[in-house]
Amino acid sequence: MDDNSYSEVPVEYSRRQKSCCRRQGLKLVLLGLLMASFCAGLLTVLLLWHWDAVQSMKQLEETAARNVSQLSQVLASHKDQQMTQQSQAAQMLQNMEKIVTEQKTLKHQEFQFSRNLDGVQEDLVNLKSAALNEMYSVWNRMEKLQEEVEKLWLELHLSNGSQCNTCPEDWVNFGRKCYYFGQGTPKKWLQARNACRALQGQLVSIHSQEEQDFLTQHGSKFGTWIGLRDLDLEGQFIWMDENPLNYNNWGPGEPNNQEPSEDCVVMEHSGKWNDMDCLGRLDSWVCDRLATC
């Protein structure tokens, strides 16, 4: 091999080496460009992501701000409502206390009214009782006065020789008096007394054996009410004509007041007298009144 051959080999090698270096440099440049493009793209993506994140954060902040504002409004409204409710509750409590006070006042007034009403009712009862007692007293005095007038009138006519033996229809004359022998629906003593008063008479008063014998003939076998009683004072018997007990025809052992309420007198079928419960019922009673002239 000649020298020219040896000299051409390094040149060729050098050329190849340079070419190789150029290719490698190009590759590095391309790689650099590629890396730069990748970094640029990545940076762009990161920037876009950051911008989106910033926008999202802004939206979140705005939403949060709106929510906070709404929540603040709700809390403020709730606080106002709570204050209103507390005020209403305080007012209701005050009203309840007022109502309780008024109820206590009304109860006290009702109690006072009830006491006053009881007092008025008691006064009315006492007044009614006093009025009835006075009425009965006046009635008895009038009956007594009327009887005295009739007796005086009878004595006057008798002294002038008049015959004073006139009796109303259904009445029987004996002596100076007329007698009505009541029979029918069984009556208590007070009912029999009222029946005689309705006939302008009174339950019979007996003052002699002759009068007793006359009444015995017309007596009922079941007993007959007569006008003798001890209603006012136990043991003090009084006739309806207020005359004293100057004659009596008590049965054996009578009056015995066998029961605490035996204060009225009944004439047995035999004519004997027996004290009996005034609430007992007899279907026979005798009324008397003065005969007219």
Side-chain angles (χ1 to χ4, degrees):
M1 210 179 208
D2 54 12
D3 293 336
N4 289 330
S5 301
Y6 285 108
S7 61
E8 290 178 358
V9 172
V11 172
E12 183 67 22
Y13 177 77
S14 177
R15 191 181 298 120
R16 291 178 179 178
Q17 190 175 11
K18 288 180 179 181
S19 176
C20 181
C21 289
R22 282 196 297 271
R23 286 195 298 271
Q24 291 180 350
L26 182 60
K27 291 180 179 179
L28 289 174
V29 171
L30 291 175
L31 181 59
L33 291 173
L34 182 61
M35 289 296 295
S37 298
F38 176 76
C39 290
L42 181 60
L43 182 60
T44 301
V45 170
L46 290 174
L47 289 173
L48 290 174
W49 177 81
H50 177 70
W51 186 81
D52 288 338
V54 170
Q55 294 298 322
S56 299
M57 287 296 294
K58 287 182 178 180
Q59 291 178 355
L60 288 175
E61 288 177 357
E62 291 176 356
T63 302
R66 287 195 300 272
N67 292 336
V68 169
S69 177
Q70 293 176 356
L71 182 60
S72 298
Q73 293 177 357
V74 171
L75 289 175
S77 176
H78 179 70
K79 187 175 181 181
D80 292 339
Q81 292 177 358
Q82 187 176 12
M83 292 180 64
T84 302
Q85 291 176 354
Q86 289 178 351
S87 177
Q88 292 176 350
Q91 185 65 35
M92 290 178 63
L93 181 61
Q94 186 177 359
N95 293 336
M96 287 295 295
E97 292 177 350
K98 185 177 180 180
I99 290 173
V100 170
T101 303
E102 291 177 352
Q103 286 180 341
K104 290 181 179 179
T105 303
L106 288 175
K107 286 183 177 180
H108 179 70
Q109 292 176 350
E110 181 181 1
F111 175 73
Q112 290 296 120
F113 178 76
S114 178
R115 288 184 59 184
N116 294 335
L117 182 60
D118 291 340
V120 171
Q121 290 177 343
E122 184 177 358
D123 292 340
L124 286 175
V125 170
N126 294 334
L127 182 61
K128 182 178 179 181
S129 177
L132 288 174
N133 291 335
E134 183 65 23
M135 184 180 68
Y136 289 140
S137 177
V138 171
W139 179 271
N140 290 331
R141 289 198 297 269
M142 288 180 61
E143 285 186 336
K144 184 66 174 178
L145 181 60
Q146 182 179 0
E147 185 178 353
E148 292 297 329
V149 170
E150 290 177 350
K151 285 182 179 179
L152 290 175
W153 185 256
L154 180 62
E155 293 293 337
L156 178 62
H157 280 278
L158 289 174
S159 65
N160 292 330
S162 299
Q163 294 294 324
C164 297
N165 55 5
T166 303
C167 296
E169 185 178 359
D170 297 329
W171 290 68
V172 180
N173 173 251
F174 180 78
R176 297 181 181 181
K177 293 198 298 184
C178 300
Y179 300 88
Y180 179 86
F181 298 93
Q183 290 183 342
T185 304
K187 298 183 183 299
K188 302 175 184 178
W189 187 88
L190 288 175
Q191 292 173 331
R193 184 195 67 178
N194 293 335
C196 290
R197 284 181 174 178
L199 296 172
Q200 298 182 353
Q202 58 189 4
L203 279 175
V204 67
S205 300
I206 306 172
H207 297 290
S208 67
Q209 184 64 50
E210 293 77 15
E211 186 177 15
Q212 177 63 63
D213 293 339
F214 166 76
L215 294 174
T216 302
Q217 295 174 7
H218 297 82
S220 170
K221 63 180 180 179
F222 299 108
T224 302
W225 285 123
I226 61 176
L228 189 62
R229 78 283 188 200
D230 64 344
L231 288 169
D232 298 330
L233 181 63
E234 179 62 35
Q236 183 176 342
F237 287 90
I238 301 175
W239 288 110
M240 291 297 298
D241 62 6
E242 303 296 333
N243 285 322
L245 191 63
N246 53 6
Y247 166 80
N248 73 77
N249 193 36
W250 293 110
E254 301 295 341
N256 57 12
N257 196 33
Q258 188 172 358
E259 296 181 6
S261 60
E262 288 189 343
D263 298 323
C264 297
V265 178
V266 57
M267 182 179 69
E268 304 288 355
H269 178 59
S270 62
K272 295 297 183 180
W273 304 346
N274 178 24
D275 58 342
M276 179 177 169
D277 187 354
C278 297
L279 298 180
R281 295 179 182 271
L282 297 176
D283 59 0
S284 178
W285 60 96
V286 182
C287 310
D288 69 1
R289 56 180 291 179
L290 289 175
T292 57
C293 302

